[in-house]
Amino acid sequence: MKLKIAAIVLALTGSAAFAGPTCNVPQDKWMKEADFKAQMEKQGYQIKTFKVSKGQCYEIYGFDKAGKKVEIYFDPATGAELERK
């Protein structure tokens, strides 16, 4: 029984540790993906992977202008950075 409870607690806390931010923006307010990517590239980012996260934010994996590897979440409406890992 104790092992079962420990497994449940670990599963819940483990998944929360990897969760990104949540964006509560209606999709009709989102910046177009192409416009967002162009804006990021102008700022010097090299985007290797672009996706919409489970929390409905824009998420990129790639490199910043200094060549440092990045994983960043953005507000899909404004393009504001929300979280960097």
Side-chain angles (χ1 to χ4, degrees):
M1 180 68 166
K2 287 183 183 179
L3 184 58
K4 200 181 243 187
I5 292 172
I8 292 170
V9 169
L10 182 60
L12 292 175
T13 57
S15 63
F18 296 107
T22 300
C23 296
N24 296 315
V25 180
Q27 282 192 338
D28 64 328
K29 304 287 185 198
W30 288 16
M31 185 183 301
K32 291 179 184 174
E33 288 182 23
D35 294 343
F36 173 79
K37 289 177 185 177
Q39 179 180 330
M40 294 298 102
E41 289 169 356
K42 268 188 188 176
Q43 294 177 27
Y45 289 99
Q46 290 182 331
I47 300 171
K48 296 298 178 190
T49 303
F50 170 87
K51 67 180 191 175
V52 176
S53 70
K54 289 181 182 178
Q56 296 298 297
C57 300
Y58 282 167
E59 180 180 7
I60 65 165
Y61 296 85
F63 300 91
D64 65 13
K65 61 183 169 187
K68 183 179 174 189
K69 196 172 187 179
V70 295
E71 174 185 352
I72 311 173
Y73 295 87
F74 297 89
D75 181 295
T78 65
E81 183 176 322
L82 301 173
E83 185 176 319
R84 182 181 292 244
K85 293 184 178 182

